[in-house]
Amino acid sequence: MRTSIKGLLCLSIALSAGMSLAQTRLRAWNIHPDGYPVTEAMKSFAAEVAKTTQGKYQIGIFSNATLGDQPKAVQMLKAGEIDIAEFSSGPLSDAVPGIKVLNLPFLFTDSAHMFRHLDGKLGQRFAASLKAAGFVVLGWYDGGARSFYCASRTVTNVRELAGANIRVQQSEIYTEMVKLLNARPVALPYKDVLDGLQQGKIDCAENNMPSYESTGHYKVAKNVFVTNHVISPEALVVSTQLWSKLGQEEQAAFSAAGARSALLMRELWNKRVALALEVTAGQGVQFVKVKDTSSMIRRMSPLYDRYMKDPTTRQELLSIIPQ
Ligand code: GTR
């Protein structure tokens, strides 16, 4: 009798050990809500990984930045405290200077131009810099085209942004860009922007249209100055700590799922841009398109100069800008 109880206990210990070996739970950081293209693409990534690894990897998606704001999450992923994340290239480039050029104003003419580079050799070079810094890229997502929007002023000309308090992502290049417009950059976490606009702490912010709509910023900041000043990617990444634990076949499964999720994201993105424009216009948002971007581009020249002089970014810039 005693022996059989011991046997049963051993069996149960073995089973639970077996269970935990058979199933690994991973945490994925995400800043966006349900239904947003990033979130939906991440869900499809998680489902495909679970399927192709026969249920071994269960990815839990923690949306709405519940695990911390973006700069913190970038550090958490680097330290292996979270396993997977979808980051915008602004905050990511503070940790990986080699990809800084991706946020330069007016670098790409549109998403198609951007993905021609990212889906080719240049994307591989950026991915290599990211990997060396702790981030393994599984897919390039679309970060869209960013424009300014203001609560307290209508902007019809870039000069009219002067003196405004403009919210920026907690990222160096955005701060510098706003200073070059003679405006005041106010670095705020994404989740605090709506409040900042409502309280009058900031006059304006800048983002792509799906974010402008999904956050409800359009309810307070109804004047959009359409500049499309930054067209940049986002990236689905896993930590190098996780990556090194995966077998070869598992790495292939993660990569395939990441690549497929990126294609899905880009498709969902285009639909969501159209929807965001429709919803916000329907709610009385006024869009003023910048007439001529050349004066804005001229103001950015100290930024271009700096990145041309910097050996870590010069080569990338030269590959993107046609000579
Ligand atoms: C969004 C982007 C987020 C975050 C946000 C922001 O477009 O998808 O990752 O960077 O902008 O402005 O903070």
Side-chain angles (χ1 to χ4, degrees):
M1 183 67 180
R2 281 181 61 184
T3 326
S4 77
I5 288 174
K6 192 176 165 191
L8 280 176
L9 287 175
C10 289
L11 183 66
S12 120
I13 290 167
L15 275 178
S16 51
M19 289 286 288
S20 65
L21 269 185
Q23 232 186 44
T24 305
R25 295 196 172 277
L26 301 174
R27 295 197 304 165
W29 180 93
N30 169 34
I31 205 167
H32 293 291
D34 248 19
Y36 196 86
V38 169
T39 316
E40 297 312 304
M42 288 180 85
K43 283 186 198 166
S44 98
F45 166 74
E48 186 174 330
V49 166
K51 191 166 166 217
T52 51
T53 63
Q54 284 80 42
K56 179 168 173 188
Y57 291 98
Q58 299 294 328
I59 300 171
I61 298 166
F62 294 79
S63 294
N64 294 311
T66 45
L67 297 179
D69 65 14
Q70 190 151 192
K72 181 173 169 216
V74 166
Q75 293 310 322
M76 284 168 80
L77 192 114
K78 194 174 162 68
E81 291 162 19
I82 49 175
D83 310 293
I84 300 160
E86 199 274 351
F87 291 134
S88 153
S89 45
L92 197 51
S93 67
D94 284 356
V96 191
I99 68 158
K100 271 195 171 169
V101 294
L102 286 173
N103 297 283
L104 269 180
F106 304 106
L107 181 67
F108 295 115
T109 45
D110 54 23
S111 296
H113 177 213
M114 173 174 81
F115 286 129
R116 269 204 302 282
H117 285 288
L118 287 176
D119 292 338
K121 285 211 175 70
L122 195 59
Q124 288 167 8
R125 287 221 299 273
F126 285 128
S129 308
L130 282 157
K131 192 168 182 185
F135 309 86
V136 180
V137 177
L138 297 185
W140 293 110
Y141 284 19
D142 200 340
R146 298 176 80 103
S147 288
F148 293 95
Y149 44 87
C150 301
S152 48
R153 53 176 84 195
T154 310
V155 179
T156 57
N157 184 299
V158 72
R159 286 190 302 274
E160 289 161 3
L161 286 170
N165 286 327
I166 304 183
R167 180 270 172 170
V168 289
Q169 301 187 71
Q170 301 125 288
S171 166
E172 187 196 323
I173 195 160
Y174 284 87
T175 303
E176 291 175 18
M177 175 185 76
V178 165
K179 282 187 188 157
L180 292 171
L181 296 173
N182 294 327
R184 275 189 296 272
V186 180
L188 277 184
Y190 190 47
K191 65 173 175 33
D192 297 338
V193 181
L194 181 60
D195 204 43
L197 287 165
Q198 272 161 346
Q199 309 293 321
K201 187 171 170 189
I202 48 174
D203 306 302
C204 312
E206 54 83 55
N207 220 313
N208 54 53
M209 291 301 102
S211 288
Y212 173 59
E213 182 266 325
S214 73
T215 50
H217 295 173
Y218 73 92
K219 294 180 185 159
V220 191
K222 290 201 171 288
N223 306 301
V224 181
F225 184 41
V226 184
T227 47
N228 296 328
H229 53 272
V230 173
I231 292 173
S232 64
E234 305 204 348
L236 178 70
V237 291
V238 304
S239 71
T240 41
Q241 285 89 334
L242 168 63
W243 194 246
S244 62
K245 285 187 208 133
L246 300 177
Q248 230 174 8
E249 273 184 26
E250 292 171 346
Q251 288 187 348
F254 273 65
S255 297
R260 242 189 298 277
S261 79
L263 293 182
L264 171 69
M265 190 279 169
R266 297 177 197 179
E267 199 184 309
L268 296 175
W269 183 255
N270 293 333
K271 292 187 187 141
R272 187 64 183 240
V273 171
L275 182 73
L277 289 172
E278 192 186 313
V279 169
T280 54
Q283 294 296 314
V285 167
Q286 300 296 319
F287 296 89
V288 175
K289 202 168 170 0
V290 64
K291 286 197 188 67
D292 178 14
T293 49
S294 51
S295 78
M296 216 170 149
I297 292 175
R298 269 198 303 278
R299 281 164 188 255
M300 296 300 132
S301 61
L303 268 183
Y304 303 133
D305 284 353
R306 167 123 51 92
Y307 291 117
M308 275 305 272
K309 281 187 193 130
D310 184 338
T312 55
T313 46
R314 182 184 159 83
Q315 198 47 46
E316 272 68 15
L317 258 183
L318 288 175
S319 321
I320 297 168
I321 299 167
Q323 300 308 293

